[in-house]
Amino acid sequence: MLLAGKTVLITGASRGIGRGTAIECARHGADLALNWFQDREGIEETLAAVRALGRRAIEVEGDVARRESGERFIDAAAKAFGGVDVFVNNAGICPFHAFLDTPPEVFERTMAVNLHGAYYMTQAAARRMREQGRGGSLIAISSISALVGGGMQAHYTPTKAGVHSLMQSCAIALGPHGIRCNSVMPGTIATDINKEDLADPEKRSYMEKRIPLGRLGEPRDVAGCVVFLASDLARYVTGAAVLVDGGLFVNLQ
Ligand code: NAD
Ligand code: RM4
């Protein structure tokens, strides 16, 4: 029970890593405020899973790319649970596309959701934590793609480097308030975001072979690391990034 008594907020919690993280946080005793967008069915499943573990949970609809979504989300969480202890910036998109003909709308939407959304959400959560005066933990779901490229991801990888950089700067800006800021860098985790990309058996087996632990990741592989960073076990960890990739990044030869 590493998170007993804490309120954890997660964006994009209707499926994938966001849902897996919500469930793992609930197992560790947290109450959950869950942001979602265009996926009512998915968020209902996440809520049911969290409540089945005996934890309290609320859902707040909102497109993270809209500036006002941040304050609405934080206000709703604070009203329901009396405060905000942990904020997980997870919502993200990755519409795979060749670089040379990526439409500007695809680039701009990816930036707006993954980076601008992260910035405004993080700022709203940090403002609340500072007001509360009891510190907190901000966690960005960055990516291995913050460190290495992807030929079909030139509009995406800069957003993942961006959220990691955001956590580094926030660690400095918010350290005096006792607010820790860290990134988790998942490798390749099988979720809807890459379902189509990994539907190609050749691509899937290529990725699997590159991973020393011999398998693609699951959302709960990432969730364990988030729980650690959210918890008081990580009380002296800030400005850090943790790869959760089965060894993919270090596998040169
Ligand atoms: P996913 O598609 O299963 O989940 C993405 C979630 O974000 C969904 O709940 C979706 O509804 C939500 N979302 C999308 N746009 C939104 C918006 N505008 N406002 C609010 N919510 C929105 O994918 P996932 O793999 O669980 O991805 C979660 C995060 O993990 C992303 O930031 C992604 O970049 C990151 N990540 C994923 C992998 C991977 O291999 N799956 C690896 C590294 C990093
Ligand atoms: C991740 C990483 C994975 C990819 C997902 C969509 O950040 O690049 O390999 O499958 O994004």
Side-chain angles (χ1 to χ4, degrees), residues 93 106-117 155 158-159:
I93 56 172
V106 171
F107 169 62
E108 281 163 21
R109 179 67 184 163
T110 307
M111 292 290 286
V113 173
N114 296 9
L115 186 56
H116 298 198
H155 49 298
T159 68

Side-chain angles (χ1 to χ4, degrees), residues 12 14-15 17 37 63-64 90 142 156 160 187 189 191 193-194:
S14 69
R15 57 177 194 258
I17 293 170
F37 180 57
D63 178 353
V64 297
N90 167 74
S142 171
Y156 169 80
K160 296 284 113 178
I189 314 298
T191 67
I193 209 172
N194 48 28

Side-chain angles (χ1 to χ4, degrees), residues 10 18-28 32 45-46 49-50 53:
I10 305 172
R19 177 187 290 171
T21 298
I23 292 170
E24 205 56 32
C25 289
R27 274 201 195 107
H28 280 277
L32 277 307
E45 276 182 45
T46 307
V50 166
L53 290 163

Side-chain angles (χ1 to χ4, degrees), residues 94 96 142-145 153 156 160 186-188 193-194 197 207:
C94 179
F96 285 77
S142 171
S143 172
I144 189 175
S145 299
Q153 294 177 309
Y156 169 80
K160 296 284 113 178
T188 299
I193 209 172
N194 48 28
D197 184 51
M207 291 307 297

Side-chain angles (χ1 to χ4, degrees), residues 50-68:
V50 166
R51 288 174 181 154
L53 290 163
R55 304 313 316 167
R56 295 184 292 166
I58 61 158
E59 49 81 17
V60 184
E61 197 273 342
D63 178 353
V64 297
R66 296 183 68 88
R67 226 185 285 172
E68 62 274 17

Side-chain angles (χ1 to χ4, degrees), residues 62-124:
D63 178 353
V64 297
R66 296 183 68 88
R67 226 185 285 172
E68 62 274 17
S69 298
E71 272 177 32
R72 271 192 54 233
F73 184 36
I74 307 309
D75 284 350
K79 200 167 155 212
F81 301 122
V84 169
D85 300 298
V86 178
F87 176 79
V88 184
N89 188 88
N90 167 74
I93 56 172
C94 179
F96 285 77
H97 209 293
F99 175 58
L100 292 177
D101 61 358
T102 298
E105 305 75 52
V106 171
F107 169 62
E108 281 163 21
R109 179 67 184 163
T110 307
M111 292 290 286
V113 173
N114 296 9
L115 186 56
H116 298 198
Y119 179 91
Y120 288 116
M121 277 280 173
T122 298
Q123 193 179 49

